[in-house]
């Protein structure tokens, strides 16, 4: 199983932020909502997100997917090609992901984030931007090239003597 890729060739002019964009993947079947489990996602929408802007940079499409029930055919590995196609993404938003698949994703340096219910892709991006404006977790700071802070400074404003 290979991924069909639709990539943005020319950079968009509205993405002129000086900050390093965070590359995220969203499991989708309709390109409008986060609405798929990892194994059964027909598509992954890949976005670059900064605190002020976002842009769709790639769409990965798979013709062979697993069913929503989590059943897998051991003779036909449909997970590894998906993980390989997502290389370079820091976050992966899905409705569900099984343990073995999650382990492969994490080993590839991608942090999976499960959501309870389907939601518009625009909301996922807005929530990501809000997180970026605040205090992202240390592994994302590293990806974004932001200076590392110590644990105490992250919570200094919450603590008073």
């Amino acid at each position: 199983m290979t991924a069909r890729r639709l990539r943005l060739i020319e950079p968009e002019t509205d993405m002129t932020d000086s900050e390093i964009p965070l590359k995220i993947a969203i499991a989708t079947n309709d390109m409008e909502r986060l609405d798929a489990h990892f194994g059964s996602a027909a598509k992954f929408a890949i976005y670059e997100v900064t605190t002020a802007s976002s842009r769709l940079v790639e769409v990965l499409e798979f013709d062979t997917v697993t069913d929503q029930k989590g059943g897998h055919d051991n003779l036909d590995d449909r997970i590894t090609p998906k993980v390989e196609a997502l290389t370079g993404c820091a976050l992966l938003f899905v409705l569900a992901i099984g343990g073995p698949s999650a382990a492969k994703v994490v080993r590839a340096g991608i942090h999976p984030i499960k959501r309870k219910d389907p939601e518009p892709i625009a909301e996922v991006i807005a929530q990501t931007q809000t997180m970026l404006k605040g205090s992202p977790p240390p592994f994302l700071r590293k990806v974004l090239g932001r200076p590392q802070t110590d644990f105490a400074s992250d919570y200094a404003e919450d603590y008073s003597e």
Side-chain angles (χ1 to χ4, degrees), residues 52-68:
S53 60
S54 66
R55 68 177 178 159
L56 177 68
V57 293
E58 187 172 18
V59 176
L60 302 172
E61 186 175 39
F62 297 88
D63 54 356
T64 309
V65 297
T66 61
D67 61 23
Q68 290 279 92

Side-chain angles (χ1 to χ4, degrees), residues 140-153:
L140 283 182
R141 288 186 202 146
K142 184 176 181 180
V143 169
L144 297 167
R146 293 185 185 175
Q148 295 292 332
T149 59
D150 62 28
F151 180 79
S153 67

Side-chain angles (χ1 to χ4, degrees), residues 8-142:
L8 180 70
I9 295 174
E10 295 295 322
E12 295 180 13
T13 56
D14 66 342
M15 193 92 168
T16 57
D17 299 335
S18 60
E19 60 185 295
I20 297 171
L22 182 67
K23 196 170 178 184
I24 67 170
I26 301 170
T28 182
N29 289 317
D30 64 7
M31 291 302 297
E32 294 178 15
R33 299 175 300 140
L34 161 60
D35 65 353
H37 296 204
F38 178 75
S40 67
K43 299 177 185 106
F44 290 91
I46 311 296
Y47 283 84
E48 287 182 345
V49 181
T50 67
T51 57
S53 60
S54 66
R55 68 177 178 159
L56 177 68
V57 293
E58 187 172 18
V59 176
L60 302 172
E61 186 175 39
F62 297 88
D63 54 356
T64 309
V65 297
T66 61
D67 61 23
Q68 290 279 92
K69 297 174 186 151
H72 300 278
D73 180 354
N74 291 335
L75 300 175
D76 184 17
D77 182 6
R78 297 176 182 172
I79 301 305
T80 301
K82 284 186 174 186
V83 174
E84 290 171 351
L86 294 169
T87 298
C89 292
L91 300 177
L92 167 65
F93 292 89
V94 295
L95 287 183
I97 185 168
S101 296
K104 285 184 180 185
V105 167
V106 170
R107 274 194 303 272
I110 305 165
H111 185 78
I113 299 173
K114 293 192 297 185
R115 293 298 172 93
K116 188 183 243 182
D117 298 307
E119 60 187 297
I121 288 175
E123 286 183 24
V124 174
I125 291 170
Q127 293 164 5
T128 302
Q129 288 175 318
T130 299
M131 181 265 308
L132 290 174
K133 289 175 187 172
S135 182
F139 79 94
L140 283 182
R141 288 186 202 146
K142 184 176 181 180

